[in-house]
Amino acid sequence: MTVEAAVDLSPLREHLEDAGVDAYLVDADGDDSDQRYVSGFTAPDPFQTLVTDDAIHLLVSGLEYGRATDESAADTVTRRSEYDYTELVAEHGAHEGKARTVAAFLEDHGVDSVSVPRTLPTGTADGLREQGIDVVLESEGIVEEIRAVKSEAELEAIRASQRANEAAMARAEELIAEADVADDGTLLVDGDPLTSERVKEEIEVTLLRHGCGLDDTIVACGADGADPHSRGSGPLEADQLIVIDIFPRNKETGYHADMTRTFARGEPGVEARRRYEVTRDAYEAALEAVEAGVTGAEVHDAACDVIEGAGYDTLRSDPDAETGFIHSTGHGVGLDVHEQPSVSPVGDELEVGHVISIEPGIYDPEVGGVRIEDLVVVTEDGYENLTDYHLF
Amino acid sequence: MTVEAAVDLSPLREHLEDAGVDAYLVDADGDDSDQRYVSGFTAPDPFQTLVTDDAIHLLVSGLEYGRATDESAADTVTRRSEYDYTELVAEHGAHEGKARTVAAFLEDHGVDSVSVPRTLPTGTADGLREQGIDVVLESEGIVEEIRAVKSEAELEAIRASQRANEAAMARAEELIAEADVADDGTLLVDGDPLTSERVKEEIEVTLLRHGCGLDDTIVACGADGADPHSRGSGPLEADQLIVIDIFPRNKETGYHADMTRTFARGEPGVEARRRYEVTRDAYEAALEAVEAGVTGAEVHDAACDVIEGAGYDTLRSDPDAETGFIHSTGHGVGLDVHEQPSVSPVGDELEVGHVISIEPGIYDPEVGGVRIEDLVVVTEDGYENLTDYHLF
């Protein structure tokens, strides 16, 4: 059974009652975090999970049946062949055949109306509607809300990913610290420029050695670092700010971590140093504000207060700002690297067990970028920091 | 611009005319291969691509605007703010606000009916229908069909991924060849068991060093290898068959490769050796059958003929077979590791430029698994093998 299995789906069941539908239906593969969370199962091809008022039912291919029976959180697992899938596809084609199979699965469980996530494929929704099933959208993101509060097992999985992250960050820091500096300021390793790409490769290899993968890493120097969405490229330079943001995912558990540090080799200058100090003060003020019952918006305001107080723009002081603090203070982290809750102007009340990043930053192409990010879990009267990596 | 940009979408435009709709709409992030292919763009959050009879239009967030303008295959790129996205979300909520923004984008391009892929989120389809847009499903998978035929640039990208794959396979082979053998037959490296997990880690590190990532690799020994869907785990053993199947994806281009080899350290036995020979004969017969105009089904039959002729079951001789050749002969490979065309009983005509795997195998828990897989591109009178790795 996966880490997230056997979770409390009662808010989803209250929704079913309020909406007057029989069940909640997910049709997705295991890359879909809601699917993985609700079913406690992951598979490369789409499968169907049905949450009724008292059970979870899975519909899978014959290939996945054994593993689904062993590993999933479902009360029942049924093979598609039970509903004559192959015959229905032969008679009605792949799409209508699938719709008829899923409709038979629903009927078998006494379901003729379903609530579905907004991401359900239109082909599935329209196909079921043609089979007489009432399909209504669940627009509040109830499963995402449930996912936001982490169990102890989920926290353990996130801690493990953050340990891998710390090892990768240490390797990156070491590469920058030990590089030679060419006359033109370029960092060199064994005579070759130390590039963003090279540091990312070392980060990724270190993560792999710790059981984690990732699609993307940010190692952004100078003006690159002033664009919060740039991944960075090319040679790293002395006397420049270097933003490193790593967000790995454990290959087994699927849970992410997230951390950012800003480095400089040599002397980045007085203004860069001042921005680093202000960002660090904003990060500390935001952390100070975190506790259950406080809203994500209030935590974001705490960071904005410090940064605006030091004379820099934020999106709060100027919604069109292109320099200064031009993103949110944080986001939830779990099966998705960006999930609920939001630590931004629209952030709702934080709850015990929410895992959030706290990551203020200050950006300007003239000076470069600074960002400092830790990952914390919200507690009754504050937070526990899941990150163990030094600041400067 | 990405590798796949500037492709020939005329079959999609013929479909628009046949279906009597104004345009084709994709609403997905860059992980969706159809989106990446049609837009020539990739981004972490969903964006919208509209294909009309004479142009490609993109709707993106302000954050992606610069990059989309520089990199995408689109004729026009528009920011969501042009249609007052933020104001519409404030007034109508996130979902209706987005639907109204996309509807305004469609109206701006004179579109009031769209064809959409089956995977379009139901939230988007229902939201647009509420705004008066006619939304119809494109059920034939026309974009997947277009994607099946590779351009020279796409072939280059696939070749590069296969070069990385060969380096990773060589590393795995070396680990197995150089291991010590314990008295109980367990392979040892530096005194520790050489596990499936250890070999996978070395494969993945080698791939990373060559610019490729992957989520999964198969290193399956003995009975594990007899289940074509097992990833394998635990210590590798001498005198057993070891199936290694690697399917990396280049991080930049997004294109996959795919290759399988079966190894043994020591003496796997007469029956295992016979199955290896039969699988190799089936692989050669299937390759021999490949050329433009032949169907995937005929290529599959060529492999089945050899395996059945040697006395083993196939799914053709027994649809319920649990041992023997219990999968298809191959599949298309490109932006997705499994894509069109199919080399199976339902495989249609092969065309010049189709990239397919040829991967027969014979499985039985009593003996283990054998699979041999190369990646080839279909030519007018045969194929070009994209794989350069020795057989035994």
Side-chain angles (χ1 to χ4, degrees), chain B residues 2-13:
Chain B
T2 55
V3 165
E4 63 280 2
V7 292
D8 177 11
L9 296 178
S10 51
L12 188 61
R13 292 186 164 119

Side-chain angles (χ1 to χ4, degrees), chain A residues 111-123:
Chain A
V111 168
D112 52 30
S113 59
V114 290
S115 170
V116 301
R118 297 183 57 82
T119 53
L120 189 90
T122 300

Side-chain angles (χ1 to χ4, degrees), chain A residues 120 122 126 129 202 209, chain B residues 120 122-123 126 129 202 209:
Chain A
L120 189 90
T122 300
D126 284 9
R129 285 165 178 162
E202 293 302 321
R209 298 288 189 199
Chain B
L120 189 91
T122 301
D126 285 8
R129 285 166 177 160
E202 293 302 321
R209 298 287 188 198

Side-chain angles (χ1 to χ4, degrees), chain A residues 27-48:
Chain A
D27 175 22
D29 65 28
D31 283 343
D32 182 286
S33 295
D34 282 357
Q35 174 66 294
R36 184 170 180 156
Y37 188 86
V38 169
S39 67
F41 189 60
T42 174
D45 294 313
F47 60 97
Q48 291 75 40

Side-chain angles (χ1 to χ4, degrees), chain A residues 63-64 95 118-126 129 137 139 201-202 204-205 208-209 214-215 229 251, chain B residues 63-64 95 117-126 129 137 139 201-202 204-205 208-209 214-215 229 251:
Chain A
L63 274 171
E64 302 293 359
H95 304 311
R118 297 183 57 82
T119 53
L120 189 90
T122 300
T124 302
D126 284 9
R129 285 165 178 162
L137 288 180
S139 280
E201 186 178 314
E202 293 302 321
E204 294 180 19
V205 167
L208 258 183
R209 298 288 189 199
L214 81 183
D215 282 334
H229 279 70
K251 283 169 170 274
Chain B
L63 275 171
E64 302 292 359
H95 304 311
R118 297 183 58 82
T119 52
L120 189 91
T122 301
T124 302
D126 285 8
R129 285 166 177 160
L137 288 179
S139 280
E201 187 178 313
E202 293 302 321
E204 294 180 18
V205 168
L208 259 183
R209 298 287 188 198
L214 80 183
D215 282 334
H229 280 71
K251 283 169 171 273

Side-chain angles (χ1 to χ4, degrees), chain A residues 47-379:
Chain A
F47 60 97
Q48 291 75 40
T49 304
L50 190 67
V51 180
T52 61
D53 57 0
D54 61 356
I56 300 174
H57 305 289
L58 248 58
L59 180 64
V60 300
S61 73
L63 274 171
E64 302 293 359
Y65 179 75
R67 209 166 51 82
T69 305
D70 292 346
E71 297 177 9
S72 82
D75 299 285
T76 75
V77 179
T78 309
R79 292 180 187 85
R80 293 193 299 223
S81 58
E82 291 283 318
Y83 305 111
D84 301 322
Y85 174 66
T86 308
E87 294 80 355
L88 288 170
V89 165
E91 189 174 342
H92 301 285
H95 304 311
E96 189 180 330
K98 176 183 164 181
R100 285 176 180 263
T101 304
V102 176
F105 167 65
L106 298 183
E107 189 186 1
D108 202 16
H109 292 292
V111 168
D112 52 30
S113 59
V114 290
S115 170
V116 301
R118 297 183 57 82
T119 53
L120 189 90
T122 300
T124 302
D126 284 9
L128 289 176
R129 285 165 178 162
E130 276 162 26
Q131 298 303 317
I133 305 291
D134 187 17
V135 177
V136 298
L137 288 180
E138 191 288 290
S139 280
E140 302 302 309
I142 291 173
V143 176
E144 276 184 75
E145 253 179 65
I146 298 172
R147 280 170 45 203
V149 175
K150 269 67 179 182
S151 69
E152 194 45 52
E154 291 179 287
L155 289 176
E156 271 312 302
I158 293 169
R159 283 188 187 100
S161 294
Q162 193 74 323
R163 293 298 86 78
N165 204 349
E166 290 154 8
M169 189 67 82
R171 178 73 185 116
E173 182 175 1
E174 179 184 51
L175 277 167
I176 293 168
E178 296 181 354
D180 299 313
V181 181
D183 292 343
D184 67 356
T186 305
L187 300 188
L188 300 175
V189 170
D190 299 331
D192 291 325
L194 177 62
T195 58
S196 167
E197 290 81 357
R198 173 73 189 278
V199 174
K200 285 188 241 187
E201 186 178 314
E202 293 302 321
I203 287 169
E204 294 180 19
V205 167
T206 306
L207 291 174
L208 258 183
R209 298 288 189 199
H210 288 78
C212 288
L214 81 183
D215 282 334
D216 243 335
T217 311
I218 295 173
V219 177
C221 181
D224 273 359
D227 172 358
H229 279 70
S230 166
R231 270 52 179 133
S233 64
L236 303 180
E237 308 281 340
D239 309 329
Q240 295 279 350
L241 294 167
I242 303 172
V243 177
I244 302 188
D245 187 348
I246 315 179
F247 30 102
R249 179 175 201 251
N250 184 281
K251 283 169 170 274
E252 280 303 311
T253 67
Y255 282 84
H256 289 81
D258 202 350
M259 170 168 47
T260 306
R261 288 295 183 269
T262 303
F263 301 96
R265 183 71 191 278
E267 181 45 71
V270 174
E271 178 56 23
R273 286 186 175 277
R274 178 168 191 264
R275 285 164 185 235
Y276 189 90
E277 294 303 325
V278 173
T279 300
R280 184 167 174 165
D281 290 346
Y283 147 92
E284 280 165 1
L287 283 176
E288 190 64 33
V290 172
E291 70 177 309
V294 166
T295 67
E298 289 168 320
V299 174
H300 180 63
D301 279 336
C304 290
D305 288 346
V306 171
I307 291 170
E308 290 171 18
Y312 301 105
D313 275 337
T314 73
L315 292 180
R316 187 181 72 173
S317 63
D318 174 6
D320 296 322
E322 294 187 347
T323 63
F325 180 30
I326 51 177
H327 55 70
S328 304
T329 295
H331 53 81
V333 174
L335 286 171
D336 286 327
V337 67
H338 290 153
E339 59 177 44
Q340 290 301 314
S342 174
V343 187
S344 78
V346 300
D348 288 334
E349 232 172 68
L350 297 176
E351 295 176 37
V352 171
H354 278 174
V355 169
I356 55 173
S357 69
I358 295 292
E359 50 176 314
I362 304 178
Y363 309 89
D364 186 334
E366 301 289 314
V367 182
V370 175
R371 182 163 67 256
I372 299 171
E373 175 184 27
D374 278 0
L375 193 60
V376 307
V377 53
V378 177
T379 61

Side-chain angles (χ1 to χ4, degrees), chain B residues 132-196:
Chain B
I133 305 291
D134 188 17
V135 177
V136 298
L137 288 179
E138 190 288 289
S139 280
E140 302 303 309
I142 292 173
V143 176
E144 277 184 75
E145 252 179 66
I146 298 172
R147 280 170 45 204
V149 176
K150 270 64 179 182
S151 69
E152 194 45 51
E154 291 178 288
L155 289 176
E156 271 312 302
I158 293 169
R159 282 189 188 99
S161 294
Q162 193 74 323
R163 292 298 85 79
N165 203 350
E166 290 154 8
M169 189 67 83
R171 178 73 185 117
E173 182 175 1
E174 178 184 51
L175 277 166
I176 292 168
E178 295 181 354
D180 299 315
V181 181
D183 291 342
D184 67 355
T186 305
L187 300 188
L188 299 175
V189 170
D190 300 332
D192 291 324
L194 177 62
T195 58
S196 167

